[in-house]
């Protein structure tokens, strides 16, 4: 035994005698993580969060969260002598007086944008592969919670510098709060400490942005990751992979080296983008005052779709009994997002109700094998994309010689027509892909080589596919509709007949799929 | 369920194919060198960062194609930092991929459901525990506990009461009073009707006691846009026409939709466009909404001139300016 | 020289020489064209009203009417002033190439003298804003950048964007970019209100304030990219796009490499 080993042994002994950690650590180090590039999105989220914590802490050393009026006399000439809030002035100070300060600001902002993008990519991966199914419904809901928190945290964050663009965003936020019936006006006054914008808001959202929400984030991320740890990661189907096992590299050393290295890669790439590309140049926006506005005022991309929905809303207000209800704000900014996020959170339960499937699932679905879910996902993406396009309609109009009115009408009509169309097309595509899989399994891969048979017929030569591939193509389960009877064994109508009918219909639609190749069919082919 | 179809037999795990670094000492050596070089590049990055931080002045700009003139210090620190981080990561991953053992191993999953015995024991324990609390028997304690918790919930809510004042009539009032002068923003100069040519716009704010320090919450309600048209271009009813002065019409600049500044005036079409959500208002028809999500026209300010000929408000706004709210009477 | 000729047959010599030659031609050309503009910018004030009228009758009257009284397709030019003509014709917007929604900036059709003659003719019809002289356009001396920024954000940014990059108006019209526009033309646009743009009267935005606006625009134009590539200075849309394409794109690339087995 070398001296180093001895030393480590002594330390380990010290810890283990007090915590009994050896057993647990031993088990943990053998923990297996399957490899797939789509499994890295979650890691990108977590690492971006750490980058946000580090760069954010750096920024707080100089940032002054105050709306006190000051006169700027820093080094940026085009703003010298102007009155502005201390928050804005200190952000200029970070950008121009602190060495590396602008870089840190940009790292913080780019990391936020990448964080949100990675959350969405992670969510899509989990959705399309069915990783949210039992037993992972809790973690799915936590993920939706993290996404929602991210939206709020991002909005508050880019509002802190108190520049013209973010102030405009806050103006809109206050209008949304104000639009809530009965309590809205009071809520807005309590949040802003009086009338918009007041002088209390920046200090308040600063506390939320740097303490409360990151605290919740940290707690939820911890539970999220612990659940992945405890429930073990899902894996894609393949040879040797079953519902009962998980195949991959152990934590020590490969996974630890790769995951640790990937943190540095994420940080490095964020730093690279921050070094070469400007983000949120607040010195150009100018200090916030409600009387000013810039053409092309947009929120960051993850809020852009909401802004797009607000833009395309019909001009509806109800005026009655001395009260006003702004449907033009409530529908796009409160009701529709509310439905979307609630629907997302409940989706695992909805799907399991439709399929009647209450079993545990650890093998992922190939998206084509669950056409309905995949189509629903693509439909949602289409919905958000149209909203997002409309959120940038003025930028698109100027850059592509279009008219904002045209884009607006395209979105207003398209938001109703295109998502269902996307659903239908996707479902068809999935079924075609299933059919192609079936052909591949039965007849092998097309080689493009033609063969002339003795009697003159031309046939294409098919090459047999590898056993691994063949296994993959038939490893999924055939979707089967639920059998629900309207009447029970004694011929009495069951209670909840309408619910049953709905469930049966949905289940039938969900189970539309190409019949799987059976063993018998394969045998028949072989015998030919 | 769907288990009637027997899945085709699972063949064994594929043979573990060795990597080049597993069989050839030369490529193993090369991989080791590559990892070392990558770590070295990270060091170079750190040195670049340190050099740029200390020795490069923040007034130095260098021209880079596509990107334009870049601040050398910012770029040096950034690229240095990016390199020092990125190459540590790449080196570690390359090391793990080429030199660390790449044999995949298999873990087994356990069912999450607890055994029936465990469940039964838990139910028993909980039952015993709850029985020990005796809430069922001790009605007095149960009720007073409920009351105490109910009352306990109130103070935290109450303590937040002073977050802000009550709205009152604040959203319905602005600094425009009878005879308030219209001043240019910025500049705070009074305006003669003759100062505006046809087609001219002026951003104005009301004359108040302390014009150097207007609270932003006032600027969120007070701004007005003055526009001069040819009087014959108006299509207004008599009441609205009387609120104009020699072809000059004044609207609240705060959008009736979500409160952005609607200052985007198109002289040819006489339309006002809000850059936030593209609500379009027709100036000749008292800012009627002709496109976009806004549901109400912009409030019009009644203007005239005072004895000295300067433009003033004849009356305050007769409705609340800015976005809608529950208490707003929009009849 | 001998040492240089040794590299004559180097494989990089051809491409290098080509690049050098292109660079040399480009530089010469840009220097030459710069001198040309300088000689042209001498303002010929002696242009006669009569000459302007002849140009007008030939080039403009078909839309604006024989006496510049306007018609259904084009506005009256009586009282628009010399500044208006100098802006519209000097930036090539007039004469219009086609009857599209908006006249856009393009290479000018009439030279300095012809433009001056046209301006003199239109100015003779009725009084209107005059072309500002060199001495009235000394924005470097008379302007204040910060004040100009304040005025710009209040009066201009809603159409031309916070950095003067331009923006969308309704029905396909747009506010053009202000980058690279001559100070004279910016000034003329403010006093005359061309096309969709409203007029900014000298009484409400004083000539000094206008110079401040110009000074701010010029400072924004000359401002180096303080935080890296600007992606058009159009706000978060291009930033979001870059975060997805470059940010997530690079990370996916690395993730694919990370999760494939080494060979």
């Amino acid at each position: 035994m070398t001296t180093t080993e001895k030393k480590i042994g002594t330390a380990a002994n010290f810890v283990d005698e007090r915590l009994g950690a050896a057993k647990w650590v031993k088990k943990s180090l053998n923990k297996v993580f399957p490899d797939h590039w789509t499994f890295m999105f979650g890691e990108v989220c977590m690492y971006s969060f750490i980058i946000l914590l580090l760069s954010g802490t750096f920024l707080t050393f100089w940032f002054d969260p105050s709306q006190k009026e000051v006169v700027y006399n820093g080094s940026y000439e085009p703003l010298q002598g102007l009155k502005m809030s201390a928050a804005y002035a200190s952000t200029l100070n970070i950008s121009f007086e602190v060495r590396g300060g602008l870089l840190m600001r940009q790292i913080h902002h780019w990391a936020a944008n990448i964080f949100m993008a990675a959350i969405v990519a992670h969510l899509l991966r989990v959705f399309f592969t069915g990783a949210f199914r039992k037993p992972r419904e809790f973690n799915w809901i936590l993920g939706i919670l993290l996404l929602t928190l991210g939206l709020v945290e991002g909005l508050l964050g880019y509002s802190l510098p108190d520049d013209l663009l973010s102030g405009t965003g806050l103006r809109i936020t206050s209008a949304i709060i104000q639009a809530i019936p009965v309590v809205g006006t009071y809520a807005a006054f309590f949040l802003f400490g009086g009338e918009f914008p007041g002088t209390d808001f920046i200090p308040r959202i600063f506390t939320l942005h740097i303490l409360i929400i990151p605290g919740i984030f940290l707690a939820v991320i911890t539970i999220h990751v612990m659940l992945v740890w405890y429930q073990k990661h899902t894996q894609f189907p393949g040879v040797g992979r079953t519902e009962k096992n998980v195949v991959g590299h152990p934590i020590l050393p490969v996974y630890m080296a790769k995951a640790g290295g990937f943190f540095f890669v994420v940080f490095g790439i964020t730093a690279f983008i921050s070094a070469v590309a400007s983000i949120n140049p607040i010195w150009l926006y100018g200090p916030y005052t409600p009387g000013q506005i810039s053409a092309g005022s947009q929120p960051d991309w993850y809020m852009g779709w909401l802004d797009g929905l607000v833009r395309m809303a019909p001009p509806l207000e109800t005026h009655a009994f001395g009260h006003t209800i702004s449907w033009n704000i409530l529908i796009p900014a409160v009701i529709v997002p509310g439905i979307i996020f609630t629907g997302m959170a409940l989706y695992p339960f909805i799907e399991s109700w439709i399929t009647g499937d209450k079993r545990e699932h650890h093998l992922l679905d190939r998206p084509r094998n669950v056409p309905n879910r995949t189509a629903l996902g693509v439909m949602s993406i289409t919905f958000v994309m149209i909203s997002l396009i409309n959120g940038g309609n003025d930028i698109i109009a100027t850059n592509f010689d279009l008219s904002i009115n045209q884009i607006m009408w395209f979105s207003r009509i398209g938001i109703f027509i295109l998502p269902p169309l996307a659903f239908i097309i996707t479902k068809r595509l999935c079924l075609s892909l299933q059919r192609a899989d079936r052909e591949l399994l039965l007849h092998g891969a097309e080689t493009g080589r033609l063969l002339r048979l003795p009697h003159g017929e031309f046939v294409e030569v098919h090459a047999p596919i590898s056993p691994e591939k063949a296994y993959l193509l038939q490893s999924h389960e055939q979707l089967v509709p639920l059998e629900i009877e309207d009447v029970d064994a004694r011929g009495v109508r069951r209670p909840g007949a309408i619910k049953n009918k709905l469930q049966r219909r949905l289940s039938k639609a969900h189970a539309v799929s190409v019949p799987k190749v059976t063993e018998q069919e394969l045998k028949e082919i072989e015998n030919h | 369920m769907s288990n009637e179809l027997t899945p085709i037999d699972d063949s064994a795990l594929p043979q573990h194919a060795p990597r080049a670094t597993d069989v050839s000492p030369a490529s193993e050596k090369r991989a080791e060198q590559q990892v070392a070089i990558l770590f070295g590049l990270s060091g170079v990055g750190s040195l670049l960062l340190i050099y740029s931080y200390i020795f490069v002045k923040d007034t130095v700009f260098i021209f880079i194609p596509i990107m334009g003139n870049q601040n050398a210090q910012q770029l040096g620190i950034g690229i240095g930092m990016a390199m020092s981080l990125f190459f540590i990561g790449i080196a570690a991953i390359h090391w793990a991929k080429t030199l660390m053992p790449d044999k995949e191993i298999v873990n087994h999953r356990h069912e999450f459901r607890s055994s029936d015995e465990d469940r039964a024991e838990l139910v028993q324990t909980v039952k015993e525990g709850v029985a020990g609390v005796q809430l069922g028997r001790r009605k007095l304690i149960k009720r007073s506990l409920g009351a105490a918790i109910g009352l306990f919930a109130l103070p935290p809510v109450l303590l937040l009461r002073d977050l802000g004042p009550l709205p009152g009539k604040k959203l319905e009032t602005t600094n425009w009073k009878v005879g308030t002068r219209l001043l240019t923003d910025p500049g705070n100069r009074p305006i003669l009707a003759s100062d505006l040519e046809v087609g001219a716009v002026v951003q104005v704010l009301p004359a108040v006691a302390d014009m150097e320090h207007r609270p932003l919450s006032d600027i969120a309600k007070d701004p007005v846009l003055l526009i001069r048209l040819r009087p014959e271009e108006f299509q207004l009813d008599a009441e609205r026409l009387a609120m104009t002065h020699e072809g000059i019409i004044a609207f609240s600049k705060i959008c009736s939709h979500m409160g952005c500044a609607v200052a985007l005036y198109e002289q040819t079409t006489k339309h006002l466009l809000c850059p936030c959500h593209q609500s379009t208002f027709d100036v000749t028809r008292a800012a009627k909404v002709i496109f976009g999500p806004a549901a109400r026209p912009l409030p019009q300010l009644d203007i005239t001139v005072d004895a000295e000929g300067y433009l003033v408000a004849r009356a305050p706004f007769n409705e609340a300016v800015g976005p809608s709210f529950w208490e707003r009477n929009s009849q | 020289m001998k040492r240089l000729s040794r590299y004559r047959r180097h494989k990089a010599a051809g491409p290098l020489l080509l690049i050098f030659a292109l660079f040399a031609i480009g530089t010469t050309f840009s220097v030459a064209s710069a001198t040309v503009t300088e000689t042209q910018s001498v303002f010929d004030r002696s242009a006669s009203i009569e000459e302007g009228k002849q140009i007008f009758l030939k080039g403009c009257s078909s839309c604006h009417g024989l006496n510049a009284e306007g018609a259904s397709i084009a506005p009256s030019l009586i009282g628009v002033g010399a500044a208006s003509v100098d802006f519209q014709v000097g930036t090539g917007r007039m004469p219009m190439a086609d009857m599209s929604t908006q006249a856009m900036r393009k290479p000018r059709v009439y030279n300095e003298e012809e433009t001056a003659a046209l301006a003199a003719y239109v100015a003779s019809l009725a009084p209107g804003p005059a072309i500002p002289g060199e001495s009235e356009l000394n924005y470097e001396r008379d302007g204040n950048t910060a004040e100009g920024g304040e005025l710009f954000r209040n009066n201009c940014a809603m159409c031309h964007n916070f950095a003067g990059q331009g923006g969308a108006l309704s029905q396909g019209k747009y506010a053009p970019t202000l980058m690279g526009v001559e100070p004279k033309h910016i000034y003329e646009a403010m006093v005359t209100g061309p096309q969709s743009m409203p007029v900014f009267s000298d009484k409400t935005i004083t000539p000094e304030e206008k110079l401040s606006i110009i000074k701010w625009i010029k400072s924004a134009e000359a401002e180096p990219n303080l935080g890296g590539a600007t992606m058009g200075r159009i706000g978060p849309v291009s930033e979001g796009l870059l975060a997805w394409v470059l940010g997530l794109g690079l990370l996916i690339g690395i993730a694919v490499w990370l999760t494939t087995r080494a060979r």
Side-chain angles (χ1 to χ4, degrees), chain C residues 102-247:
Chain C
Q102 186 166 343
M104 56 191 109
R105 196 187 169 103
K106 56 182 184 295
R108 53 194 296 172
V109 174
Y110 297 111
N111 63 26
E112 282 292 330
E113 283 128 58
E114 290 164 329
T115 310
L118 264 176
Y121 166 66
V122 170
S124 75
L125 298 173
I131 301 169
E134 292 283 339
S135 59
E136 294 158 68
L137 281 173
N138 198 339
Y139 62 87
E140 285 295 351
R141 185 191 62 200
D142 299 333
N144 174 313
T145 316
E147 216 172 85
E150 193 72 353
L151 284 154
F152 185 89
R153 285 187 289 277
N154 234 338
N155 291 288
C156 321
M158 60 280 216
C159 305
H160 291 285
N161 139 312
F162 58 86
Q165 301 290 328
L169 304 180
S170 68
Q171 306 291 356
K173 298 188 291 294
Y174 61 90
T177 173
L178 303 176
M179 299 297 103
V181 181
E182 302 82 341
K184 182 176 73 161
H185 290 146
I186 300 176
Y187 194 96
E188 287 166 349
M190 285 190 275
V191 289
T192 62
Q195 304 188 36
S196 292
M197 181 163 161
V199 178
F200 295 93
S201 315
D202 275 352
K203 295 283 166 38
T204 53
I205 295 182
T206 64
E208 293 79 51
E209 288 178 333
K210 290 194 171 84
L211 292 183
S212 294
I213 292 178
I214 295 173
K215 189 170 181 187
W216 184 87
I217 294 171
K218 290 296 151 194
S219 124
E221 193 178 287
E223 184 175 303
N225 303 334
L226 298 168
T230 56
M231 297 167 294
R233 287 186 179 160
I234 51 168
V237 171
S238 49
E239 295 165 2
L241 205 61
L242 194 81
W244 273 93
V245 175
L246 191 64

Side-chain angles (χ1 to χ4, degrees), chain A residues 282-312:
Chain A
I282 51 124
W283 57 92
L284 287 170
Y285 297 151
Y288 180 58
T289 146
Q292 298 175 352
I293 188 87
S294 163
S297 287
Q298 268 98 11
D300 273 11
W301 75 264
Y302 42 87
M303 301 298 272
W305 64 285
L306 284 172
D307 201 49
L309 282 174
V310 172
R311 286 179 187 200
M312 71 173 87

Side-chain angles (χ1 to χ4, degrees), chain A residues 42-304:
Chain A
E43 281 186 34
V44 176
C45 300
M46 193 166 75
Y47 298 152
S48 300
F49 182 70
I50 297 170
I51 298 167
L52 285 165
L53 286 182
L54 294 174
S55 55
T57 308
F58 181 91
L59 296 176
T60 59
F61 296 153
W62 290 276
F63 181 65
D64 179 6
S66 151
Q67 278 166 294
K68 198 176 72 212
E69 192 179 272
V70 296
V71 174
Y72 180 69
N73 46 20
S75 65
Y76 184 66
E77 201 219 326
L79 291 173
Q80 278 165 6
L82 289 190
K83 278 178 264 180
M84 55 183 64
S85 68
Y88 186 71
S90 62
T91 314
L92 291 174
N93 179 48
I94 294 174
S95 306
F96 298 126
E97 260 70 48
V98 179
R99 275 178 286 182
L102 180 56
L103 180 77
M104 276 297 174
R105 263 196 60 224
Q106 301 199 145
I107 287 181
H108 196 66
H109 207 132
W110 279 121
N113 269 2
I114 293 172
F115 178 59
M116 294 307 293
I119 288 183
V120 171
H122 181 52
L123 176 129
L124 291 177
R125 198 279 294 167
V126 169
F127 180 82
F128 282 119
T129 58
F132 55 82
R133 290 172 299 171
K134 188 181 171 185
R136 294 184 177 77
E137 298 99 325
F138 288 142
N139 236 8
W140 169 262
I141 293 173
L142 291 180
I144 301 295
L145 182 65
L146 287 169
L147 170 67
T148 321
L149 273 177
L151 293 177
V152 177
E153 180 73 341
L155 170 75
L156 298 185
Y158 69 66
S159 297
L160 281 175
D162 205 21
D163 56 286
L164 184 55
L165 184 65
S166 70
T168 303
L170 282 183
R171 167 87 260 201
I172 292 166
T173 312
S174 84
I176 295 173
I177 297 168
Q178 215 171 280
I180 299 168
V182 189
V183 295
T185 318
Y186 287 85
F189 269 67
F190 286 154
L191 269 174
F192 286 88
E195 281 181 277
F196 176 84
T199 51
D200 295 335
F201 196 61
I202 298 285
R204 284 178 187 176
I205 61 172
F206 182 68
T207 309
L208 291 178
H209 180 79
I210 68 154
L211 180 73
I212 308 288
I213 299 182
I216 303 174
F217 250 121
L218 211 52
V220 178
I221 289 177
T222 309
I223 303 172
H224 198 73
V225 173
M226 274 169 64
L227 277 176
V228 173
W229 187 277
Y230 176 66
Q231 295 181 324
K232 296 196 176 80
H233 207 286
T234 51
Q235 57 188 350
F236 274 102
V239 174
R241 287 147 190 223
T242 68
E243 294 281 10
K244 298 275 171 214
N245 72 8
V246 49
V247 183
H249 289 114
I251 287 274
L252 196 72
V254 177
Y255 185 77
M256 209 177 254
K258 280 187 175 180
F262 196 53
F263 166 72
F264 285 95
V265 168
V266 175
F267 206 160
I269 285 178
T270 310
F272 170 72
I273 295 175
S274 311
V276 298
S278 160
I279 190 167
N280 203 24
I282 51 124
W283 57 92
L284 287 170
Y285 297 151
Y288 180 58
T289 146
Q292 298 175 352
I293 188 87
S294 163
S297 287
Q298 268 98 11
D300 273 11
W301 75 264
Y302 42 87
M303 301 298 272

Side-chain angles (χ1 to χ4, degrees), chain B residues 12-311:
Chain B
L13 275 165
Q15 282 290 309
H16 180 76
R19 298 165 294 187
T21 44
D22 292 333
V23 288
S24 140
S27 54
E28 192 186 343
K29 190 83 203 151
R30 188 162 33 189
E32 193 181 346
Q33 283 164 353
Q34 283 165 347
V35 172
I37 290 169
L38 288 169
F39 277 126
L41 281 173
S42 163
V44 171
S46 301
L47 292 176
L48 176 64
L49 192 160
I50 295 166
Y51 175 82
S52 309
Y53 191 95
I54 299 174
F55 297 109
V56 179
K57 290 210 165 50
D58 66 354
T59 47
V60 179
F61 287 88
I62 48 173
F63 181 81
I64 292 177
I66 303 168
M67 289 167 62
N69 274 328
Q70 301 294 313
N71 185 303
Q73 189 195 60
Q74 149 98 0
L75 199 64
I77 295 177
I79 296 289
M81 189 168 172
M83 279 176 69
S84 80
L85 290 160
F86 182 77
F87 285 111
I88 287 185
I90 291 290
I93 297 169
H94 191 57
W95 180 11
K97 276 180 58 136
T98 52
L99 296 169
M100 291 184 192
D102 79 327
K103 185 97 174 78
E104 290 192 318
I105 62 168
V106 178
N107 273 185
H108 292 281
R109 296 183 190 273
H110 57 275
E111 202 189 1
F112 293 106
R113 189 184 186 284
S114 312
S115 67
D116 286 342
E117 299 88 68
D118 282 346
R119 286 181 169 199
E121 269 174 40
L122 174 69
V123 170
Q124 193 54 38
T125 316
V126 171
K127 269 188 182 160
E128 278 168 15
V130 170
V133 179
Q134 301 171 338
L135 267 187
R137 280 199 296 133
R138 308 203 187 270
K139 287 269 160 27
L140 188 60
I141 290 183
K142 189 175 171 182
R143 282 176 196 147
S144 54
L145 172 70
I149 288 179
L151 280 172
F152 173 74
L154 288 177
V157 178
L158 188 69
L159 285 173
L160 291 176
R161 164 61 190 84
D162 280 344
L163 274 176
L166 294 181
K169 288 278 169 205
K170 287 198 199 77
L171 288 177
E172 277 138 56
T173 48
T174 62
N175 282 317
W176 294 103
K177 312 222 159 40
V178 177
T180 307
R181 270 193 183 162
L182 282 68
L183 306 182
T184 60
D185 171 30
N188 289 323
R189 293 185 299 270
I191 305 158
L192 292 167
S194 59
D195 288 349
L196 276 76
E197 293 101 345
V198 168
V201 296
V202 192
Q203 327 276 334
V204 295
L205 284 171
V208 289
D210 183 5
M211 282 173 307
E212 286 307 307
H213 298 94
R214 294 175 191 269
L216 287 186
S217 34
D218 281 357
I219 303 182
K221 291 186 302 185
D222 290 345
V224 159
L225 196 66
L226 275 188
I227 304 167
R228 182 162 204 163
L229 280 68
R230 290 189 184 82
E232 65 270 19
E233 286 169 330
F234 286 127
Q235 303 168 36
L236 303 170
D237 57 28
E239 188 199 342
R240 287 305 190 103
L241 197 62
M243 290 164 82
T244 66
H245 178 80
E246 292 174 8
I248 302 176
I249 192 165
F251 291 110
S252 164
K253 204 168 106 179
I254 306 303
C255 189
S256 62
H257 177 224
M258 287 177 127
C260 293
V262 195
L264 205 160
Y265 176 62
E266 298 176 9
Q267 203 210 140
T268 38
T269 52
K270 318 274 184 280
H271 291 166
L272 271 168
L273 176 70
C274 179
C276 284
H277 303 105
Q278 281 113 34
S279 299
T280 313
F281 305 88
D282 187 349
V283 170
T284 61
R285 287 183 286 167
K288 183 176 180 247
V289 183
I290 52 169
F291 189 75
R296 289 180 288 107
L298 298 169
Q300 187 183 345
L301 184 68
D302 190 354
I303 52 166
T304 184
V305 287
D306 62 9
E308 291 169 67
Y310 289 115
L311 288 167

